[in-house]
Structures are given as C-alpha cells and as structure tokens.
Amino acid sequence: VPVQYLDYRALADHGWELTDADLFEKAADTDLEVGDYGEFRAEPGQPLLKAAEEAGHAWPFACRGGACTNCAVAIIDGEMPMHSSHILPQEWIDRGVRLSCVSAPVSDGMKVVFNVKHLPGLEELLL
Ligand code: FES
C-alpha cells in the first residue's frame, strides 16, 4: 500500500489546514524535507507506525498499544480501521484521526498527516 505522508508541523509552518482540499498538492509544490513529506509502502495488515519505522521514519509514539495518542495521524485519503481497544473518542475517529500503532491501511493508497497529537482538543488526551 503506498502511503503519502505529511508532517503536521509543516501545516503550521505554511498556514495550511487539514481541511485544505489541495493539501498534498501544496506539499508537493513546496520544498519540504524527506522526513516531512514523501511516500513509503506499508505491507497489508501492517500497522502504519511500524511501516513508517521500517521506511526509516521516526514518528512519535509512546505506548504502542492504543493508550496514549502520541502516534495519532489524520487521514486525508484512504481507509485505516482501528480494531483493538484504544483511548481515542469516537468524535476524533469520525474526524479521520487514527492511532497509527494499532491501525493498518486497507485501501489501495493512503494520504496521512502524522504528528497530529498537538491538534487542539487532542492534546488533552496525551499521556
Ligand atoms: Fe500510544 Fe499509539 S503509541 S496510542
């Protein structure tokens, strides 16, 4: 599964919003570092956090068990269900946020913004 990723900090730096329809196009047109924007492949069923790490990325995490929200990502495109029990309220799941340590892509491709643990409102759930 090809996974395009973008660091939430790049949004803050450039004044972009998660809801911008052309977010990844803007990222592609900007001179971002490889750690901030790019693409890697995830194996089917492989948790996104693990796939990112195997691709050489150091995404934030703490518990690796769905209990802390440090690993939260926002889905811009694609599907990534969460199966195991976790701390994330339904409200955030409805907004496309997933815990990358306990969810794996199931669609043909993904676009995700990682490092969204500092989203207002999500931050309070951080342990
Ligand atoms: Fe704690 Fe994923 S690392 S919820």
Side-chain angles (χ1 to χ4, degrees):
V1 181
V3 178
Q4 288 183 47
Y5 62 87
L6 177 61
D7 192 335
Y8 184 60
R9 284 176 297 199
L11 275 66
D13 289 349
H14 293 89
W16 302 335
E17 302 283 342
L18 280 175
T19 47
D20 290 352
D22 57 347
L23 181 60
F24 273 73
E25 285 78 3
K26 285 193 286 203
D29 289 342
T30 307
D31 193 19
L32 295 173
E33 288 179 27
V34 133
D36 297 340
Y37 167 77
E39 183 174 317
F40 60 80
R41 294 194 76 83
E43 299 300 324
Q46 186 180 37
L48 188 69
L49 177 65
K50 186 111 185 67
E53 289 172 338
E54 286 189 2
H57 299 289
W59 286 9
F61 71 92
C63 71
R64 292 186 182 276
C68 75
T69 75
N70 277 287
C71 67
V73 301
I75 296 180
I76 304 300
D77 195 21
E79 281 187 52
M80 205 166 72
M82 276 193 295
H83 296 297
S84 55
S85 62
H86 52 75
I87 190 177
L88 203 61
Q90 187 64 41
E91 170 200 349
W92 286 99
I93 298 172
D94 293 345
R95 290 169 67 174
V97 174
R98 299 288 184 274
L99 301 175
S100 63
C101 67
V102 290
S103 52
V106 296
S107 46
D108 291 341
M110 297 290 307
K111 287 182 185 155
V112 301
V113 174
F114 71 100
N115 223 351
V116 298
K117 62 181 180 176
H118 297 303
L119 269 177
L122 197 56
E123 209 164 24
E124 286 84 80
L125 298 172
L126 275 177
L127 292 181

